Amino acid sequence: MHGTPAHGFPARLTVNGVVYQQSRTRPSQAEFPASTSIWCCDDLAAFDAVETMALTTRLPEYQRAVASGAWQQHDRFCLMHYPIRELAGRTLGILGYGELGQAVARVTEAFGMQALVAQRPGGAARAGRVALDQLLPQIDVLSLHCPLTDSTRGLIGARELGLMRGDAVLINTARGGIVDESALAEALRLGAIGGAGIDVLSTEPPRGGNPLLEPDIPNLIVTPHVAWASREARQRVIEEIAAFSAGIARNRVEGHGTAGSPAL
């Protein structure tokens, strides 16, 4: 395959900061920067909320308890080995308050949660934002929605995890490199934080392994970068690519590699 494929789609596309290349021999230089809200914002916000609920209700542990026969052998009608927390009255911390961060805030508001927005280190100061070091001890859930840049790579490391409450949970549907994965694995093993829902890793697919894929890490949900991937969202991606290929400029984010960056 050379140049642009027969179906007319460009050989090299950049969607939400990720390069999709169809031809490795003669790639076109066309790029397709599209606003995330057009095709997967609702999916990501819902996925974020699902992971939050699964972790605070200890859903993975209870499912494994049933699968292992622990409930069947229990002497009472309900098995309550793992503490469950309700979300009403809890505080959500959002790092990256673009389209996705705002959508997550709207969804979790329905649960009775209040949101605090972090001032992203290295970003321009914004009214109403809370310095990250001040925000972390106050929140019950930390949700990441910022792009991966030089200033955010490894942003959530051992020190930041140590500032979080012992029962707080971390949700990352943004980019894997924002979190120090070895530090997160250790924090979960030590019970320094309450849990983590991770849909992105620093290398994908993780053919060489990853610290977060070890089987002994408690209260951790790892999914294979599928928070965005509903059939409906993927159909919208196809429609955006088709529009771009036809020369229709819509939903573009000019001058930014990652959609939503200006609003962070």
Side-chain angles (χ1 to χ4, degrees):
M1 181 186 297
H2 295 277
T4 300
H7 48 54
F9 289 177
R12 180 177 181 270
L13 302 176
T14 301
V15 182
N16 198 27
V18 179
V19 175
Y20 296 87
Q21 189 149 325
Q22 296 178 345
S23 171
R24 294 172 183 262
T25 53
R26 287 178 53 197
S28 104
Q29 295 303 307
E31 290 189 343
F32 173 65
S35 173
T36 309
S37 66
I38 298 302
W39 48 277
C40 72
C41 188
D42 291 342
D43 298 69
L44 281 160
F47 196 94
D48 197 285
V50 166
E51 289 205 320
T52 298
M53 289 187 288
L55 290 163
T56 54
T57 60
R58 307 299 290 271
L59 188 62
E61 286 91 342
Y62 279 115
Q63 193 280 325
R64 286 194 291 269
V66 173
S68 71
W71 187 27
Q72 298 87 316
Q73 299 167 16
H74 199 51
D75 58 357
R76 298 180 182 177
F77 77 97
C78 61
L79 185 149
M80 297 184 292
H81 287 176
Y82 308 102
I84 294 174
R85 300 168 54 209
E86 62 181 21
L87 292 176
R90 302 288 179 175
T91 302
L92 168 71
I94 302 175
L95 180 56
Y97 201 56
E99 295 159 343
L100 295 176
Q102 293 173 45
V104 169
R106 289 193 297 271
V107 170
T108 53
E109 184 180 3
F111 303 149
M113 299 183 73
Q114 63 174 335
L116 295 177
V117 181
Q119 172 65 50
R120 180 161 57 89
R126 293 175 179 268
R129 305 292 172 93
V130 181
L132 184 60
D133 283 3
Q134 297 175 13
L135 177 138
L136 292 175
Q138 301 182 54
I139 59 174
D140 301 286
V141 180
L142 175 62
S143 186
L144 304 181
H145 301 285
C146 55
L148 179 60
T149 65
D150 289 342
S151 63
T152 63
R153 187 177 301 277
L155 179 60
I156 304 301
R159 190 185 73 85
E160 290 74 24
L161 293 167
L163 293 174
M164 296 174 66
R165 294 174 177 173
D167 58 357
V169 301
L170 168 67
I171 308 294
N172 187 11
T173 57
R175 291 290 180 264
I178 297 169
V179 176
D180 181 330
E181 293 158 336
S182 294
L184 176 57
E186 186 67 10
L188 290 168
R189 288 191 181 99
L190 295 175
I193 65 170
I198 303 296
D199 187 54
V200 287
L201 296 177
S202 54
T203 300
E204 298 173 342
R207 292 191 177 94
N210 185 283
L212 295 176
L213 299 181
E214 297 299 323
D216 65 323
I217 304 175
N219 212 21
L220 170 66
I221 301 172
V222 178
T223 48
H225 207 142
V226 292
W228 69 279
S230 71
R231 295 182 65 181
E232 294 83 357
R234 286 181 285 144
Q235 179 61 38
R236 287 190 288 272
V237 172
I238 292 172
E239 293 168 358
E240 290 296 317
I241 293 174
F244 173 82
S245 300
I248 302 171
R250 66 182 193 185
N251 308 319
R252 294 176 64 85
V253 183
E254 301 292 349
H256 295 274
T258 302
S261 297
L264 296 171

